[in-house]
Amino acid sequence: MSAAIVIPDTDKTKATTRGKVGQERTNWAATVLLILASLTVLVPLYVTVAMAFKTQQQATDLNAFSLPNPFSFSGFTEAWALTNFPRAFLVSALVTLVAVAGAIVVSAMAAYAIVRNWDRKIFRYSFFYLLAAMFIPFPVVALPQVRLTGILGLDNYVGVALLTIVFGLAFNCLLFTTFLRSIPLELEESMRMDGASTWQTFWQLIFPLLAPMAATVGIFSFLGSWNDFMMPSLIISQPEWQTIPVVNSIFQTQFSNNYNVSFASYLMAMAPAIIVYLFSQRWVMSGLTQGAIK
């Protein structure tokens, strides 16, 4: 009996080897880029935390990368009293709460009306109009908005919250519209056959199904509103009712060389946004991914 001789497919073997090598190189390149991108965020954050817990003498004499020894909370105490942090925090929280709730509700309702009436020109053109608004930066319309809010008596944190909702409507509506197209129309038709109105259909059926995208929109709105500096600085006329970013800017000159006070104030301002994002980042990826895949 003659043994069968198997000749390996060298071309396929080489191609497989080249594919594995190329994939390993891609993974290494992605890892290196991820590390570099992470350092651009983690290094400044480390410096902020280290400087905030130092005494004034340590912050002045030692380099920014050294650890505080001993740890001191004097910077937080001075920043708390100097900036009247509780009031600034309350104003920022109020503006952010109204902006987030308004962004979710108004954008969801607008997107629902557009998607379910897409065959009507007025709704279709309204969507295109909203998309066009995304290309208009706020500084272009800042002066008219300042004038308009002054006339209407909205030159305060209420006006800032309303403008935040309006300026975020285009992007948020785009997200909701993409997600709504994936919801079968048959679900609504079956509910309408049971006698439900449009209002009941939206709140009892559609809005609960929008929960992943609503979470994504809410997180984006929170981060944008909490960290916003330009709009509150232009709209709010009373300095004592400014948001945290503007308050830090106002008292920047009073911080002088007290770097520990400055960084303590910045850390207190950043902490809520960092905590919220750390606990809710999975909602951001989940909402965007479901809206894209469906």
Short mmCIF file of all heavy atoms in Angstrom, two decimals, residues 2 8 24 43 45 50 52 54 120 126 136 169 173 190 216 218 222 227 279-280 282:
data_model
loop_
_atom_site.label_atom_id
_atom_site.label_comp_id
_atom_site.label_asym_id
_atom_site.label_seq_id
_atom_site.Cartn_x
_atom_site.Cartn_y
_atom_site.Cartn_z
N SER A 2 0.46 2.15 -0.80
CA SER A 2 1.24 3.40 -0.91
C SER A 2 0.62 4.47 -0.04
O SER A 2 -0.59 4.67 -0.04
CB SER A 2 1.29 3.87 -2.37
OG SER A 2 -0.02 4.08 -2.84
N PRO A 8 1.04 20.58 1.74
CA PRO A 8 0.38 21.74 2.38
C PRO A 8 0.23 22.89 1.40
O PRO A 8 1.05 23.10 0.51
CB PRO A 8 1.34 22.10 3.52
CG PRO A 8 2.67 21.57 3.09
CD PRO A 8 2.38 20.33 2.28
N GLU A 24 -1.86 41.37 14.99
CA GLU A 24 -1.08 41.67 16.20
C GLU A 24 -0.52 43.08 16.15
O GLU A 24 -0.52 43.80 17.16
CB GLU A 24 0.04 40.65 16.35
CG GLU A 24 -0.45 39.23 16.68
CD GLU A 24 0.69 38.25 16.76
OE1 GLU A 24 1.85 38.68 16.51
OE2 GLU A 24 0.45 37.07 17.08
N VAL A 43 -3.00 62.32 33.40
CA VAL A 43 -1.91 63.14 33.95
C VAL A 43 -2.43 64.47 34.48
O VAL A 43 -2.15 64.84 35.63
CB VAL A 43 -0.80 63.34 32.90
CG1 VAL A 43 0.22 64.35 33.41
CG2 VAL A 43 -0.11 62.01 32.61
N LEU A 45 -5.43 65.13 35.44
CA LEU A 45 -6.30 64.82 36.57
C LEU A 45 -5.49 64.50 37.82
O LEU A 45 -5.84 64.94 38.93
CB LEU A 45 -7.21 63.64 36.22
CG LEU A 45 -8.23 63.22 37.29
CD1 LEU A 45 -9.17 64.37 37.60
CD2 LEU A 45 -9.01 61.99 36.83
N ALA A 50 -3.46 66.02 43.18
CA ALA A 50 -2.28 66.17 44.03
C ALA A 50 -2.15 67.59 44.55
O ALA A 50 -1.88 67.82 45.74
CB ALA A 50 -1.02 65.76 43.27
N ALA A 52 -4.51 69.83 44.87
CA ALA A 52 -5.65 70.23 45.70
C ALA A 52 -5.46 69.81 47.16
O ALA A 52 -5.94 70.50 48.07
CB ALA A 52 -6.93 69.61 45.15
N LYS A 54 -2.58 69.61 48.79
CA LYS A 54 -1.36 70.14 49.37
C LYS A 54 -1.64 71.41 50.17
O LYS A 54 -2.66 72.07 49.98
CB LYS A 54 -0.34 70.46 48.27
CG LYS A 54 0.20 69.25 47.54
CD LYS A 54 1.17 69.65 46.44
CE LYS A 54 1.72 68.43 45.71
NZ LYS A 54 2.65 68.79 44.62
N ARG A 120 -45.14 63.91 5.39
CA ARG A 120 -45.61 65.30 5.27
C ARG A 120 -44.40 66.23 5.17
O ARG A 120 -43.46 66.14 5.95
CB ARG A 120 -46.46 65.68 6.48
CG ARG A 120 -47.70 64.81 6.65
CD ARG A 120 -48.52 65.26 7.83
NE ARG A 120 -49.69 64.40 8.05
CZ ARG A 120 -50.58 64.59 9.02
NH1 ARG A 120 -50.43 65.61 9.86
NH2 ARG A 120 -51.60 63.75 9.14
N SER A 126 -38.85 70.36 8.61
CA SER A 126 -38.51 70.78 9.98
C SER A 126 -37.28 70.02 10.49
O SER A 126 -36.42 70.59 11.17
CB SER A 126 -39.69 70.53 10.92
OG SER A 126 -40.81 71.30 10.54
N ILE A 136 -24.51 75.99 13.13
CA ILE A 136 -24.45 77.39 13.56
C ILE A 136 -23.88 77.43 14.97
O ILE A 136 -24.55 77.01 15.92
CB ILE A 136 -25.83 78.06 13.53
CG1 ILE A 136 -26.43 77.97 12.12
CG2 ILE A 136 -25.73 79.51 13.97
CD1 ILE A 136 -27.82 78.54 12.01
N LEU A 169 -31.33 70.85 20.91
CA LEU A 169 -32.47 70.17 20.29
C LEU A 169 -32.08 69.47 18.99
O LEU A 169 -32.54 68.35 18.72
CB LEU A 169 -33.59 71.17 20.03
CG LEU A 169 -34.89 70.62 19.43
CD1 LEU A 169 -35.51 69.59 20.37
CD2 LEU A 169 -35.88 71.75 19.17
N CYS A 173 -32.43 65.53 18.84
CA CYS A 173 -33.49 65.07 17.95
C CYS A 173 -32.95 64.09 16.92
O CYS A 173 -33.62 63.13 16.54
CB CYS A 173 -34.13 66.28 17.27
SG CYS A 173 -35.81 66.01 16.72
N SER A 190 -51.49 48.44 17.16
CA SER A 190 -52.23 47.55 18.05
C SER A 190 -52.74 48.28 19.28
O SER A 190 -53.84 48.00 19.78
CB SER A 190 -51.34 46.38 18.48
OG SER A 190 -50.20 46.86 19.21
N THR A 216 -28.72 58.25 27.09
CA THR A 216 -27.59 58.82 26.35
C THR A 216 -27.73 60.32 26.19
O THR A 216 -26.80 61.09 26.43
CB THR A 216 -27.47 58.15 24.97
OG1 THR A 216 -27.33 56.74 25.15
CG2 THR A 216 -26.28 58.68 24.21
N GLY A 218 -29.54 62.30 28.01
CA GLY A 218 -29.45 62.92 29.33
C GLY A 218 -28.02 63.10 29.79
O GLY A 218 -27.66 64.14 30.37
N PHE A 222 -26.21 66.58 30.44
CA PHE A 222 -25.64 66.87 31.76
C PHE A 222 -24.22 67.40 31.64
O PHE A 222 -23.87 68.43 32.24
CB PHE A 222 -25.66 65.61 32.62
CG PHE A 222 -24.98 65.78 33.96
CD1 PHE A 222 -25.69 66.26 35.04
CD2 PHE A 222 -23.63 65.48 34.13
CE1 PHE A 222 -25.08 66.44 36.28
CE2 PHE A 222 -23.01 65.65 35.35
CZ PHE A 222 -23.74 66.13 36.43
N ASN A 227 -20.67 71.79 32.45
CA ASN A 227 -19.36 72.35 32.12
C ASN A 227 -19.44 73.62 31.27
O ASN A 227 -18.39 74.17 30.92
CB ASN A 227 -18.52 71.31 31.37
CG ASN A 227 -18.22 70.09 32.22
OD1 ASN A 227 -17.96 70.19 33.42
ND2 ASN A 227 -18.28 68.91 31.60
N PHE A 279 -20.23 56.39 36.27
CA PHE A 279 -21.31 55.46 36.59
C PHE A 279 -22.30 55.28 35.44
O PHE A 279 -23.16 54.40 35.50
CB PHE A 279 -22.07 55.95 37.83
CG PHE A 279 -21.36 55.66 39.12
CD1 PHE A 279 -20.59 56.64 39.74
CD2 PHE A 279 -21.43 54.41 39.71
CE1 PHE A 279 -19.92 56.38 40.92
CE2 PHE A 279 -20.76 54.14 40.89
CZ PHE A 279 -20.00 55.13 41.50
N SER A 280 -22.20 56.13 34.41
CA SER A 280 -23.22 56.06 33.35
C SER A 280 -22.64 55.92 31.96
O SER A 280 -23.37 56.01 30.98
CB SER A 280 -24.08 57.33 33.41
OG SER A 280 -23.28 58.49 33.25
N ARG A 282 -21.67 53.35 30.41
CA ARG A 282 -22.21 52.20 29.70
C ARG A 282 -23.52 52.54 29.01
O ARG A 282 -23.85 51.96 27.96
CB ARG A 282 -22.40 51.03 30.66
CG ARG A 282 -23.42 51.25 31.77
CD ARG A 282 -23.43 50.11 32.77
NE ARG A 282 -24.44 50.30 33.81
CZ ARG A 282 -25.67 49.82 33.72
NH1 ARG A 282 -26.03 49.14 32.65
NH2 ARG A 282 -26.55 50.01 34.68
#
